[in-house]
Amino acid sequence: MATGKESIVMELEIERTSLITATQTLDASGMNVGTTGNISVRTTGGMLITPTGIATSALRPEQMVAMQLDGSWDAAFRPSSEWEMHAEIYKAFPEAGAVVHAHPDHCVALSCLREPLPLFHYMVAGFGGDDVRCSDYALFASSELAKVAVVALKDRTACLLANHGMIAFGGDLDTALIRTIKLETLARQYLLARSAGTPVLIEGSEIPAIRGRYKNYGQQK
């Protein structure tokens, strides 16, 4: 029977593999290219995050970096250069169990317009509000980027990052990954609708009706 310490080690090994699988999923679906994007999962007292500058095809479990939320780490590999954005999200949102940052084409395109994704489709409300905000611009891999991301994520589970990409969180890695794919799908559909005309937004009394429906959506515990 595994001891408490052995159980933690086994859990970390599973999470290391899960991070690689999630990264491969994003690459295969065109969400990231090369070494763009980063993923993390919360751990006791810190997080496990993908390393910086290593292509997905070369990732190995031992390269995933265990670190504290204050930025300290002790490993052979350096963590993602945008680790601080993940750390600040975990600090600000206790419900966050995993964070996915990616550069999918349509999210990037909309972020370069510095516009939010409005409620053109009811599924936008699934991120927690009447839109998915676009953050203020900040230099990549900076403390300022971490700050503006947290502001844009207030009462939301995803946001666009101005002239950059997107970031989403969830209670677990699967949820964060699904939200990432969902946001890119909606961004593509919105830009497609805009290319044909002016999308009609959902407004008025329909908004609380959608919120109410989402409260009871899915399998209830």
Side-chain angles (χ1 to χ4, degrees):
M1 184 174 181
T3 65
K5 185 175 181 180
E6 289 172 338
S7 296
I8 292 174
V9 171
M10 290 171 60
E11 183 177 345
L12 278 175
E13 289 307 308
I14 293 172
E15 290 175 338
R16 288 174 187 276
T17 302
S18 296
L19 285 176
I20 294 178
T21 300
T23 302
Q24 292 171 338
T25 297
L26 290 180
D27 273 28
S29 57
M31 299 283 182
N32 284 322
V33 177
T35 61
T36 60
N38 29 80
I39 307 176
S40 69
V41 292
R42 189 194 290 270
T43 60
T44 302
M47 63 180 172
L48 189 67
I49 191 167
T50 50
T52 187
I54 300 178
T56 299
S57 59
L59 286 176
R60 301 191 306 275
E62 63 268 22
Q63 294 169 331
M64 305 300 108
V65 184
M67 61 186 305
Q68 302 301 306
L69 299 185
D70 64 3
S72 59
W73 52 279
D74 183 16
F77 297 91
R78 293 171 54 204
S80 166
S81 60
E82 292 180 327
W83 67 265
E84 193 167 358
M85 185 161 55
H86 294 248
E88 290 304 315
I89 289 172
Y90 288 129
K91 292 176 187 177
F93 306 101
E95 67 273 27
V99 177
V100 175
H101 167 49
H103 297 181
D105 290 345
H106 298 86
C107 285
V108 169
L110 191 54
S111 81
C112 290
L113 298 174
R114 299 195 184 182
E115 295 181 12
L117 178 66
L119 194 60
F120 80 104
H121 190 288
Y122 74 86
M123 288 177 67
V124 173
F127 294 98
D130 303 341
D131 63 4
V132 174
R133 302 186 189 99
C134 182
S135 75
D136 291 337
Y137 175 76
L139 180 66
F140 72 94
S142 67
S143 296
E144 185 60 28
L145 178 61
K147 293 175 183 176
V148 299
V150 167
V151 171
L153 284 168
K154 179 177 171 56
D155 299 320
R156 303 287 190 274
T157 56
C159 73
L160 301 172
L161 302 170
N163 301 86
H164 189 152
M166 59 71 61
I167 194 161
F169 70 81
D172 53 49
L173 184 53
D174 285 345
T175 300
L177 192 61
I178 289 170
R179 285 174 176 161
T180 298
I181 296 170
K182 176 181 172 183
L183 182 57
E184 169 61 3
T185 300
L186 287 166
R188 174 174 56 81
Q189 292 167 343
Y190 176 62
L191 291 174
L192 179 61
R194 276 181 49 165
S195 72
T198 302
V200 178
L201 303 184
I202 300 172
E203 299 177 327
S205 61
E206 290 300 319
I207 295 177
I210 291 172
R211 288 175 179 164
R213 190 61 60 89
Y214 260 109
K215 287 180 180 179
N216 299 311
Y217 180 77
Q219 299 295 319
Q220 304 299 311
K221 293 184 179 180

